[in-house]
Amino acid sequence: MTISDCLDDLISHTFNLSHTMTGLDQNIDELALLKPPILSQSDDPLGVDVCLTCFNGGCLSTERNHAYTHYKKTGHAFSLNVKRRPRPQPNPNKRDGDDDGNPEPPAKMMKLAIIEEREEDKYEHVLALHCYRSATQDPVDIPMETVTRAVPRIQTLVDGVMKSLSSARQEEVQAWEEELIPCEHTLTLAQFATGPIPPFGSAHCAQCDLKENLWLCLTCGVLGCGRQHYGGIGGNGHALTHFKESTHPVCVKLGTITPEGTADIYCYACDETRIDPELVLHLSNFGINVQAQKKTEKSITELQIEHNLNFDFSLKDESGNALEPVFGPGLTGLQNLGNSCYMASVLQVLFTLPPFQRRYAASLASQHWSTCTESLPANCLECQMHKLADGLLSGRYSRPRRTDENHQNPQADSAAAAAPVPVFQEGMRPVTFKALIGRGHAEFATMRQQDAEEFLTHLLTTLRRYARAHPRDDGEPTETFGFALEQRLQCTSCAGVRYRVDAHDVLSVPTLYEDVALAECVDAAMGIEGLEYKCPNCRRDVSATR
């Protein structure tokens, strides 16, 4: 099939679709409702094909060629091929009008956040239209200039696809930014005592002589020193002691009050930094005029930034020996998508287990992909689990991170591995899996940090639900976690015994911040405890042991 034949087909395709209300206009309207396609992590020189009908992304490698598989299953013949290559980066030590290479002074950091690295600043994209109506797996490649001249409306659809790629990155960056919000305790704060507090300089903690790192209880006006911080900031934690004794949750750090009416607000009940919308009023009740205040101490955010800037992020073990990067099958890392370490830790553990490795083996993946009934792999849990297994176990993504200089160098991997400074791998980005497994869940659908045990339970439940809907003969790997816990309840009055057996996947054991044998933790969890119990034999409330 020639380019001319493809263009004629595309024009006819566009015309027919626009008259049936399932064409480009509808596709453009649906762009905002669809999950953005994700570019190839390895920047394959062949790029990635984004279907212009359903926006599914597929690779073009000879080994897998999921773009062609998508066409054979759906008949969607036209796709946007996206390739990206690094832009030349300017000299960071060179500034306009300065021939000496003196760098600009860095901007002062005021907020705990990650500055977005924009896709368009790092890469340039090469676009083309692919037509799969030919008889082979190799699509007809049509330059975008030719396409837009023949079918101008295609440009709107292409712009929408590329915009969605950029917005996906923005959402990930926003997930890292610290967000301060009010809480129920700051919004419903009641002040039981008012009156001027000692002037700044003569004020000190109510329980010791510290005159810095002072926190004012906004309920009763008691001054207490904060907890000790890195960087030599002293504190005996008497503000926390006051909260435990009085249950007054909200306090403000005196040295951080600004004329703009901002300050460090901490809620001990939430154990979080918060915002007090009525801070100016609350402080005035203690004789503090915010317009006359001057910030004299670092805020918690500034202390965190300073700590992070000065922290040695070199990877070392407990003996101080530097860790060396490793590469190969089964040695692939997962990138943090924004508070997603709970998910990464669970997935890494699962795919070290032989039952999961066998269940989602590469030999079974192609069989499933050819028979999957879901229109999009992004909506299929089985597809996503096979995709994770392939990425984590095959070793295809377990290679040194590429820089702009070695990006196009085929010898870059071996050179980086032999570099004197360790070069770690970039790893995988399981964005689609995270979106699917969190869909409809109040917590895992967000970008907030979560509990790994709760996520494991949710994932096992979801996999079993899928297995019941799609039964197989080779068993389910989730049964690896299943065990029965027998509970023995004995009445201390009549010595009657009652047994109960419950099914579990997880056993929570107490842990200590010291070296302890796992067997000791299990023994502690299985130990005997006393409780109040209504004995069916005695017919009264008695003490029992369990």
Side-chain angles (χ1 to χ4, degrees):
M1 178 174 282
T2 65
I3 292 179
S4 178
D5 293 335
C6 283
L7 287 175
D8 291 340
D9 198 2
L10 178 62
I11 295 172
S12 174
H13 180 72
T14 305
F15 178 80
N16 292 333
L17 287 175
S18 64
H19 278 71
T20 59
M21 296 302 292
T22 59
L24 294 182
D25 285 337
Q26 183 181 359
N27 288 342
I28 293 170
D29 293 338
E30 291 179 355
L31 268 173
L33 303 177
L34 293 169
K35 292 297 180 183
I38 305 301
L39 286 176
S40 171
Q41 297 179 113
S42 57
D43 286 334
D44 193 298
L46 298 175
V48 62
D49 271 16
V50 180
C51 175
L52 289 179
T53 301
C54 65
F55 308 106
N56 178 72
C59 63
L60 293 92
S61 67
T62 55
E63 182 181 354
R64 290 167 175 80
N65 204 338
H66 293 138
Y68 182 73
T69 302
H70 177 71
Y71 161 66
K72 296 297 290 184
K73 289 183 61 176
T74 64
H76 299 164
F78 298 102
S79 62
L80 177 67
N81 180 255
V82 184
K83 303 184 184 76
R84 71 178 187 181
R85 54 193 180 199
R87 292 182 182 275
Q89 298 297 314
N91 183 355
N93 293 325
K94 182 75 173 178
R95 64 179 179 179
D96 294 340
D98 189 343
D99 295 331
D100 297 328
N102 296 321
E104 290 278 3
K108 183 179 179 180
M109 289 195 292
M110 303 296 295
K111 182 168 61 173
L112 192 62
I114 288 181
I115 299 175
E116 176 189 1
E117 293 182 337
R118 297 193 305 167
E119 184 88 4
E120 56 268 30
D121 293 338
K122 296 180 61 180
Y123 300 97
E124 59 183 2
H125 294 95
V126 180
L127 308 178
L129 187 81
H130 278 179
C131 174
Y132 281 91
R133 293 287 170 83
S134 60
T136 65
Q137 293 190 18
D138 298 326
V140 177
D141 191 290
I142 312 174
M144 284 306 303
E145 296 80 3
T146 305
V147 177
T148 53
R149 282 198 303 267
V151 190
R153 297 171 64 199
I154 287 290
Q155 188 62 50
T156 305
L157 186 58
V158 171
D159 291 343
V161 171
M162 298 309 296
K163 183 178 180 181
S164 70
L165 292 173
S166 177
S167 64
R169 171 63 179 167
Q170 294 171 5
E171 291 177 2
E172 290 179 21
V173 171
Q174 291 170 1
W176 286 89
E177 187 170 332
E178 182 185 49
E179 180 182 7
L180 299 182
I181 58 175
C183 67
E184 59 176 317
H185 306 100
T186 59
L187 293 174
T188 61
L189 179 66
Q191 295 184 287
F192 300 147
T194 58
I197 64 171
F200 189 78
S202 61
H204 61 82
C205 173
Q207 300 185 44
C208 68
D209 295 329
L210 284 179
K211 294 185 177 182
E212 61 178 9
N213 191 18
L214 293 180
W215 292 79
L216 171 68
C217 174
L218 288 177
T219 301
C220 65
V222 168
L223 288 174
C225 59
R227 289 170 280 197
Q228 187 173 5
H229 286 273
Y230 32 73
I233 307 299
N236 298 313
H238 289 144
L240 174 60
T241 302
H242 173 70
F243 160 69
K244 292 179 178 179
E245 295 174 348
S246 66
T247 68
H248 298 166
V250 183
C251 57
V252 57
K253 188 176 183 181
L254 288 185
T256 64
I257 303 172
T258 69
E260 292 77 24
T262 64
D264 258 12
I265 308 293
Y266 199 84
C267 177
Y268 282 112
C270 300
D271 199 18
E272 293 283 354
T273 303
R274 297 300 191 191
I275 292 175
D276 179 6
E278 301 294 333
L279 178 63
V280 175
L281 174 62
H282 292 154
L283 289 177
S284 67
N285 290 331
F286 296 109
I288 299 176
N289 180 4
V290 297
Q291 294 183 355
Q293 297 301 305
K294 181 178 179 181
K295 185 172 180 293
T296 59
E297 297 185 24
K298 295 177 181 178
S299 66
I300 293 178
T301 296
E302 290 169 331
L303 290 171
Q304 288 175 327
I305 291 174
E306 183 178 281
H307 177 66
N308 289 338
L309 290 176
N310 296 327
F311 187 77
D312 181 9
F313 283 99
S314 59
L315 299 178
K316 298 180 179 179
D317 61 18
E318 59 274 12
S319 301
N321 300 317
L323 299 179
E324 294 295 330
V326 292
F327 309 97
L331 300 174
T332 303
L334 292 171
Q335 289 188 28
N336 198 323
L337 307 177
N339 300 319
S340 64
C341 53
Y342 68 93
M343 179 185 71
S345 60
V346 169
L347 293 178
Q348 291 285 13
V349 170
L350 287 186
F351 285 103
T352 62
L353 303 177
F356 276 84
Q357 294 177 354
R358 291 192 297 267
R359 173 63 176 80
Y360 299 105
S363 58
L364 302 176
S366 57
Q367 176 183 346
H368 170 75
W369 288 330
S370 62
T371 59
C372 180
T373 57
E374 286 284 354
S375 58
L376 291 176
N379 296 328
C380 176
L381 182 60
E382 182 86 356
C383 284
Q384 294 306 311
M385 291 296 289
H386 277 296
K387 182 179 176 182
L388 278 172
D390 174 69
L392 290 174
L393 303 177
S394 68
R396 291 192 298 122
Y397 301 106
S398 181
R399 52 195 182 195
R401 178 184 287 109
R402 296 182 176 183
T403 63
D404 294 346
E405 291 77 13
N406 66 22
H407 190 274
Q408 301 297 333
N409 181 4
Q411 306 299 324
D413 290 351
S414 58
V421 179
V423 179
F424 291 87
Q425 58 180 269
E426 192 167 1
M428 293 173 53
R429 301 177 66 244
V431 179
T432 311
F433 172 81
K434 185 177 185 299
L436 178 61
I437 199 64
R439 187 176 300 168
H441 194 283
E443 293 298 328
F444 299 127
T446 70
M447 302 295 279
R448 296 190 294 268
Q449 183 61 274
Q450 306 296 338
D451 182 77
E453 179 185 327
E454 292 178 2
F455 178 74
L456 172 62
T457 301
H458 171 67
L459 178 57
L460 294 179
T461 301
T462 305
L463 290 173
R464 287 167 180 162
R465 187 184 304 123
Y466 181 91
R468 287 193 295 269
H470 306 81
R472 296 168 56 98
D473 297 331
D474 52 358
E476 279 303 310
T478 57
E479 298 308 316
T480 302
F481 292 92
F483 65 93
L485 187 64
E486 184 181 78
Q487 183 182 106
R488 182 180 184 274
L489 193 64
Q490 184 172 15
C491 175
T492 56
S493 178
C494 68
V497 177
R498 182 178 181 181
Y499 290 92
R500 174 178 170 180
V501 178
D502 297 314
H504 291 271
D505 291 314
V506 176
L507 177 65
S508 296
V509 298
T511 57
L512 302 174
Y513 293 101
E514 59 185 30
D515 292 339
V516 59
L518 177 60
E520 294 181 30
C521 295
V522 175
D523 289 341
M526 306 295 288
I528 298 175
E529 62 176 340
L531 73 161
E532 296 299 319
Y533 171 64
K534 186 169 184 177
C535 178
N537 290 333
C538 301
R539 299 185 181 276
R540 58 190 176 91
D541 294 333
V542 297
S543 297
T545 58
R546 179 173 58 183

